[in-house]
Amino acid sequence: MRAVLECREKAALVRVEELRAEFERVRAALAEAEEVLNHRVIGLEQYLESLAERDAPTAAGGPGLAAAETVVEESASATGPRRTVARKEDGVSMEVLGADYRHIMAVFEEAGGDSLTARRTAVALGWDSSAPSRVEGARGKLKRLVERGWLVEERPGRVTLPAAGTAAAAA
């Protein structure tokens, strides 16, 4: 009887090890698939917003047209199309920004000078912050606003509105 129990124990141990190996393989495949999904979601968002922003200046016409002409188009890179974000210059209003970017700027104005992370920004925008793609989408938008002088990254991952007088220097 002892030999039968030991044999069953060894078989169970082998099965546990097989399942652990399978679990690790599935976990790695899931992580890879989630990353691909995140990149595709961000790429689609960028594409749709670039189309909307490209069409906005011609539809708006009138007074906003001169400010909209300051928009600097970025060429498509190997990673895909990038969004068009106007550079922050004196006299340029937030109206030249796309809808998502205007919402982000409103969140930072409501924060009253506090710095925010991508996750906190996503929460303030009402996005599902438990979805990595939404947080990464917010992070990408924040980075673009920083690059164009609308926001300042005071330390890695922490973004805030520029102090008065430094907006021109950042552009």
Side-chain angles (χ1 to χ4, degrees), residues 35-101:
E35 186 163 339
V36 168
L37 175 63
N38 290 342
H39 288 291
R40 301 252 165 96
V41 167
I42 291 169
L44 178 60
E45 288 174 354
Q46 291 172 341
Y47 174 73
L48 293 175
E49 188 163 312
S50 68
L51 288 178
E53 289 176 356
R54 183 177 46 179
D55 294 340
T58 58
L65 188 57
E69 291 173 355
T70 63
V71 173
V72 177
E73 299 243 3
E74 297 179 8
S75 63
S77 65
T79 59
R82 298 265 326 235
R83 294 184 191 175
T84 305
V85 179
R87 289 199 179 277
K88 173 76 171 162
E89 298 173 1
D90 290 332
V92 176
S93 72
M94 285 193 301
E95 297 305 314
V96 299
L97 295 175
D100 282 346
Y101 294 103

Side-chain angles (χ1 to χ4, degrees), residues 10-22:
K10 287 180 184 178
L13 182 60
V14 167
R15 181 70 177 143
V16 165
E17 292 302 318
E18 288 173 353
L19 289 174
R20 280 189 182 142
E22 179 71 11

Side-chain angles (χ1 to χ4, degrees), residues 1-14:
M1 183 68 163
R2 181 178 178 195
V4 171
L5 291 176
E6 287 176 351
C7 183
R8 287 182 181 171
E9 179 186 6
K10 287 180 184 178
L13 182 60
V14 167

Side-chain angles (χ1 to χ4, degrees), residues 79-163:
T79 59
R82 298 265 326 235
R83 294 184 191 175
T84 305
V85 179
R87 289 199 179 277
K88 173 76 171 162
E89 298 173 1
D90 290 332
V92 176
S93 72
M94 285 193 301
E95 297 305 314
V96 299
L97 295 175
D100 282 346
Y101 294 103
R102 286 193 305 270
H103 291 132
I104 290 171
M105 294 302 294
V107 165
F108 277 91
E109 288 176 356
E110 289 173 13
D114 292 342
S115 63
L116 300 175
T117 62
R119 183 171 304 280
R120 285 187 60 201
T121 303
V123 168
L125 290 169
W127 296 354
D128 180 12
S129 65
S130 65
S133 63
R134 298 306 284 171
V135 175
E136 289 305 315
R139 187 180 328 287
K141 287 176 175 33
L142 292 176
K143 291 288 186 182
R144 278 184 217 92
L145 288 170
V146 167
E147 289 171 1
R148 299 299 185 179
W150 293 93
L151 296 173
V152 175
E153 190 170 20
E154 55 186 25
R155 62 179 191 225
R158 303 292 295 189
V159 180
T160 188
L161 288 170

